[in-house]
Amino acid sequence: MKVSKETVEQNRERVIDTAAALFREKGIDGIGIADLMKAAGLTHGGFYRQFKSKDDLVVQAVKRAYKEMSEDLAKRIASSDDPLQALVRHYVSDYHRDDPGHGCSLAALAADAARHDDPELRQFFGKVTNSYIDLLTALVPGRDTTAKRTAAIGALAEMVGSVVLSRVVPDPKLSSEILDTVSNDLVARHPVSKSA
């Protein structure tokens, strides 16, 4: 039975959505194609009709995850009187720690991407990193662009690092302490930010 182009595209989108969550939850090498396709409700055989390779899917999934996270953060920032605080409090949170499948790809996959051979994936992670730095630079208060950029790079490293560390420590109390310390420290160092 021939499948319509519309169904093929819907299936492709479902695979990308599923992969975007599962790669963040399990890592790039933590799930194989067969299990990923099964999780998407499709057969393994259809994979290579939709994607050139697993690397191709990884790039598409990371792009999807970044788009979703960016849209969510943009809404949070737009609806806040203190956009930097809104960003920090959401990113450096128990919620983000506990739901990597719907969180930031940097916190979930940066270490995987650094070890990965695919230049397109590494290039995209560079773009994601630059985008976060640009966003934070715009949100950090002050007029000195160099100082704002320096603060943004430090804030991004602290934000990503705190989420990664909070996920890896087995002690729930220490995990929450890491998040609370970094979140409170970043907000205290950059009070009453202005949106760009």
Side-chain angles (χ1 to χ4, degrees):
M1 177 196 303
K2 188 162 176 137
V3 179
S4 72
K5 286 183 181 181
E6 183 179 314
T7 300
V8 168
E9 186 56 31
Q10 288 171 350
N11 289 345
R12 177 180 166 78
E13 293 299 308
R14 186 171 2 147
V15 172
I16 293 170
D17 285 341
T18 302
L22 290 178
F23 287 145
R24 285 178 285 177
E25 286 175 18
K26 300 177 182 291
I28 292 170
D29 295 325
I31 186 162
I33 297 301
D35 289 334
L36 196 145
M37 293 298 283
K38 184 177 179 181
L42 300 167
T43 63
H44 179 258
F47 176 81
Y48 291 101
R49 287 191 295 272
Q50 297 176 346
F51 303 97
K52 292 181 257 176
S53 63
K54 183 177 179 182
D55 286 347
D56 178 35
L57 175 59
V58 169
V59 171
Q60 299 305 314
V62 170
K63 286 179 178 180
R64 175 70 48 86
Y66 174 69
K67 180 178 182 281
E68 291 169 359
M69 185 73 170
S70 295
E71 290 170 355
D72 180 49
L73 291 177
K75 288 177 193 169
R76 291 173 189 281
I77 289 168
S79 67
S80 176
D81 292 337
D82 188 346
L84 179 60
Q85 183 175 160
L87 172 62
V88 169
R89 295 285 189 207
H90 176 70
Y91 195 102
V92 184
S93 66
D94 293 349
Y95 162 79
H96 190 198
R97 176 198 60 204
D98 296 342
D99 192 11
H102 294 97
C104 177
S105 296
L106 281 179
L109 296 172
D112 284 3
R115 291 186 294 266
H116 212 267
D117 292 335
D118 185 358
E120 187 179 357
L121 180 64
R122 302 228 15 215
Q123 185 109 22
F124 188 72
F125 268 93
K127 178 182 173 188
V128 169
T129 301
N130 279 317
S131 293
Y132 273 114
I133 291 169
D134 290 346
L135 173 62
L136 286 162
T137 299
L139 297 178
V140 168
R143 293 178 185 252
D144 182 339
T145 307
T146 302
K148 286 172 54 112
R149 183 170 172 82
T150 298
I153 291 170
L156 179 61
E158 288 180 70
M159 290 165 61
V160 173
S162 66
V163 173
V164 172
L165 289 176
S166 73
R167 287 177 178 163
V168 76
V169 297
D171 178 2
K173 185 176 177 186
L174 176 57
S175 178
S176 291
E177 183 181 10
I178 290 167
L179 294 174
D180 292 344
T181 299
V182 170
S183 179
N184 291 336
D185 183 58
L186 282 170
V187 168
R189 275 189 282 143
H190 306 290
V192 191
S193 63
K194 305 290 183 208
S195 63

